[in-house]
Amino acid sequence: MEKGIMQDSHCYDDIINLPHHISSVHPPMPVADRAAQFMPFAALTGFGDAIEETGRLTDKRTELEEDAIEGLEEKLRYLREHMKEHPEISVTYFQPDARKAGGAYVTATGRIKRIDLYEQLFVMEDGTWIPVKSVVGIEGEVFSGLEG
């Protein structure tokens, strides 16, 4: 068997000392790109992001009771009467999630610019638009005259 190994080691004697071929047509590959050839293959690209998105929690929108709806409507009427003052209010509303079912309850605080009755929006001075149908609570000092 040693004889076979010895014979095989001499098979390449004619090419072993030839100079390394350098292409005249293709530029040599940068070392960083050569290393990238040996990086592990990610067959499930984006799978980690999908798992993270699935695990992200959202709130379920709750329906308001009749007395809460009436209270909001009364505050809305009161706000329309006091719009010239541009009162500062805090509006809590449900913001649907763009990617999955549910959403989040968000509170925006600022001065109200106007109430767009046609589009059914609160327009705040900072440019925030809040759909009236999404509102679950309105608070502010302007309502101190309402309770009494």
Side-chain angles (χ1 to χ4, degrees), residues 33-41:
D33 291 344
R34 288 182 54 141
Q37 295 180 78
F38 303 104
M39 294 295 290
F41 175 66

Side-chain angles (χ1 to χ4, degrees), residues 13-145:
D13 284 344
D14 59 334
I15 61 169
I16 199 76
N17 292 319
L18 290 177
H20 177 71
H21 173 72
I22 299 173
S23 173
S24 59
V25 180
H26 302 288
M29 182 183 287
V31 176
D33 291 344
R34 288 182 54 141
Q37 295 180 78
F38 303 104
M39 294 295 290
F41 175 66
L44 300 174
T45 303
F47 186 66
D49 293 337
I51 289 174
E52 187 176 313
E53 175 64 22
T54 302
R56 188 173 55 85
L57 298 176
T58 56
D59 293 327
K60 193 174 190 179
R61 184 176 183 158
T62 57
E63 295 298 321
L64 294 176
E65 294 182 16
E66 198 63 38
D67 58 335
I69 293 171
E70 288 174 11
L72 283 174
E73 288 173 351
E74 186 176 354
K75 287 182 177 182
L76 185 60
R77 280 191 299 274
Y78 194 80
L79 268 178
R80 281 188 287 214
E81 292 171 7
H82 292 83
M83 282 305 300
K84 291 180 183 177
E85 302 166 19
H86 297 282
E88 184 168 334
I89 59 171
S90 292
V91 181
T92 302
Y93 62 100
F94 184 79
Q95 186 173 46
D97 193 284
R99 295 186 184 159
K100 60 193 293 187
Y105 285 96
V106 180
T107 300
T109 300
R111 296 202 172 275
I112 189 161
K113 184 176 181 180
R114 65 186 168 93
I115 299 172
D116 186 332
L117 295 175
Y118 180 73
E119 294 289 331
Q120 293 290 302
L121 296 170
F122 283 107
V123 181
M124 307 299 274
E125 285 186 349
D126 67 359
T128 304
W129 292 26
I130 303 168
V132 173
K133 290 183 179 185
S134 298
V135 174
V136 295
I138 308 170
E139 301 298 325
E141 287 184 27
V142 69
F143 301 117
S144 61

